[in-house]
Amino acid sequence: MTALSARMLTRSRSLGPGAGPRGCREEPGPLRRREAAAEARKSHSPVKRPRKAQRLRVAYEGSDSEKGEGAEPLKVPVWEPQDWQQQLVNIRAMRNKKDAPVDHLGTEHCYDSSAPPKVRRYQVLLSLMLSSQTKDQVTAGAMQRLRARGLTVDSILQTDDATLGKLIYPVGFWRVKYIKQTSAILQQHYGGDIPASVAELVALPGVGPKMAHLAMAVAWGTVSGIAVDTHVHRIANRLRWTKKATKSPEETRAALEEWLPRELWHEINGLLVGFGQQTCLPVHPRCHACLNQALCPAAQGL
C-alpha cells in the first residue's frame, strides 16, 4: 500500500459509516425522512397550554347528616296576625285597673294561702274543676263554703255526696262525681298531692286542657301552654288571632301557640278573660268603648 492510499483509508474511517468523499454523503432512508418531517412540524406548531378547570357551584339543601355544626337552619316564615301588637297594647291599657271579676275572684284567689303546699295545690285544682262554664263569683262562693269545713283530699272523701252537692251549689251536682273520683286517685297515687304534668292532669276525671295548663301555672309555677276558655276562644277569633276560624278552645290554643311569643303565654289568659268580662262580651260587645274598634275585623262587621 502506498503512502497516499494509506492516508485515504485513514480519512474514510474517521468520517464514520456512510461517509464518502467530500460532498458525497449517503442520503437518509425513508424512515429517517419521516421522523425529520415530524420533528419539523412539532417545532412549528403552536404550544398548547393546559385548560384551566372551571369550578361549578351548585346550591342545594343538604340533609341533617350532611350539614355542618355551624350551618344555619333555613328560616321558615311564621304567620302572625296583622296589628296584633298594637291590639295587645290597647287591651293592656283597657285592663290596667285590674277590676274584672277574674282579677279578685279567679283561681289565684280561691285557695288558702296559709295551708301547706300540698293542700294549696289541691285547692287550686278543685277550684278549676268547679269553674268550668261557671262565673267566677259562683266558683268563689263554693270554694269559700268548702274551705270553711277544712278543704283537703281527706275531708272531701269523708263528705257524703248530698252534703257536697249542697256546698258547691249552684255549681252543677254532677261535678260531685268527678270531685270524688279525682280526690280518690290523688290520695291513692299521689299522696294527696296533684300531678305535676299536663298529661297526668288531663287523665284525671273532670279535668280538661284549660284546667291542666292553669293548674301548672298557678299550683306549680310552670308555663306549660296557653289556657283557653270561652273568653279567650271568642276574642282570638274576633281579632283574627288564628290563621283560620277555630271551632273549639283546644283548637284555638294550638293556633295561638304557633305564633304567640312564649313569654306572653302566662299573661294572655287573665288579660283576655277580664277583657271578655268587661268589654268584648259574648253578646252585644261594647265596641264603642274599645280601643281596638278601628283594628278589630269583627267590629267592622257590626
Side-chain angles (χ1 to χ4, degrees), residues 167-200:
L167 289 171
I168 68 172
Y169 182 82
V171 177
F173 183 81
W174 57 272
R175 309 282 177 91
V176 171
K177 175 185 175 182
Y178 290 141
I179 291 172
K180 284 290 191 75
Q181 289 177 341
T182 291
S183 298
I185 292 172
L186 298 180
Q187 185 186 62
Q188 295 168 10
H189 300 285
Y190 297 95
D193 207 341
I194 71 171
S197 72
V198 171
E200 291 175 291

Side-chain angles (χ1 to χ4, degrees), residues 28-29 60 62-63 89 132 154 187 252 267 273 293:
Y60 68 99
S63 62
V89 169
S132 178
D154 292 336
Q187 185 186 62
T252 300
E267 173 193 17
V273 168
Q293 184 177 14

Side-chain angles (χ1 to χ4, degrees), residues 4-256:
L4 179 60
S5 299
R7 284 198 300 270
M8 291 180 63
L9 179 60
T10 301
R11 180 178 176 81
S12 174
R13 287 176 179 173
S14 66
L15 290 174
R22 185 179 300 177
C24 299
R25 293 185 180 180
E26 182 182 5
E27 289 294 326
L31 180 61
R32 289 184 178 274
R33 283 198 296 271
R34 285 197 298 271
E35 290 176 351
E39 289 294 328
R41 285 195 299 271
K42 284 183 181 180
S43 63
H44 289 86
S45 61
V47 177
K48 293 183 179 181
R49 295 182 180 178
R51 269 179 148 187
K52 208 170 187 179
Q54 294 183 353
R55 293 183 180 180
L56 183 62
R57 296 184 179 181
V58 180
Y60 68 99
E61 181 184 355
S63 62
D64 292 340
S65 60
E66 293 173 338
K67 292 176 181 178
E69 292 182 359
E72 294 184 2
L74 294 176
K75 293 183 179 179
V76 181
V78 178
W79 176 88
E80 63 179 30
Q82 185 178 6
D83 300 322
W84 74 269
Q85 291 177 317
Q86 186 58 51
Q87 290 168 342
L88 181 62
V89 169
N90 291 341
I91 293 173
R92 283 175 177 156
M94 290 183 280
R95 291 276 288 115
N96 64 351
K97 293 182 179 179
K98 300 290 183 184
D99 54 359
V102 69
D103 296 317
H104 52 89
L105 297 173
T107 301
E108 296 90 339
H109 307 280
C110 286
Y111 64 86
D112 182 2
S113 59
S114 64
K118 186 188 298 186
V119 174
R120 291 203 304 265
R121 288 190 287 267
Y122 173 68
Q123 292 181 1
V124 167
L125 181 61
L126 195 61
S127 70
L128 289 168
M129 294 179 70
L130 295 172
S131 70
S132 178
Q133 299 178 349
T134 305
K135 290 185 177 181
D136 289 332
Q137 296 90 328
V138 174
T139 302
M143 285 296 295
Q144 188 174 7
R145 291 188 294 273
L146 290 171
R147 284 170 51 190
R149 294 170 59 93
L151 181 52
T152 64
V153 169
D154 292 336
S155 68
I156 288 295
L157 292 175
Q158 291 168 8
T159 304
D160 62 85
D161 292 0
T163 301
L164 185 55
K166 290 178 181 178
L167 289 171
I168 68 172
Y169 182 82
V171 177
F173 183 81
W174 57 272
R175 309 282 177 91
V176 171
K177 175 185 175 182
Y178 290 141
I179 291 172
K180 284 290 191 75
Q181 289 177 341
T182 291
S183 298
I185 292 172
L186 298 180
Q187 185 186 62
Q188 295 168 10
H189 300 285
Y190 297 95
D193 207 341
I194 71 171
S197 72
V198 171
E200 291 175 291
L201 284 166
V202 296
L204 298 172
V207 178
K210 181 209 79 171
M211 303 178 201
H213 288 300
L214 278 176
M216 290 298 296
V218 179
W220 292 109
T222 301
V223 178
S224 56
I226 300 174
V228 177
D229 65 353
T230 56
H231 292 291
V232 179
H233 171 64
R234 178 180 70 256
I235 294 167
N237 277 274
R238 283 180 175 175
L239 291 174
R240 303 293 191 269
W241 278 13
T242 57
K243 198 170 185 179
K244 60 180 181 179
T246 54
K247 297 180 180 179
S248 67
E250 186 60 10
E251 191 179 347
T252 300
R253 180 192 65 79
L256 288 174

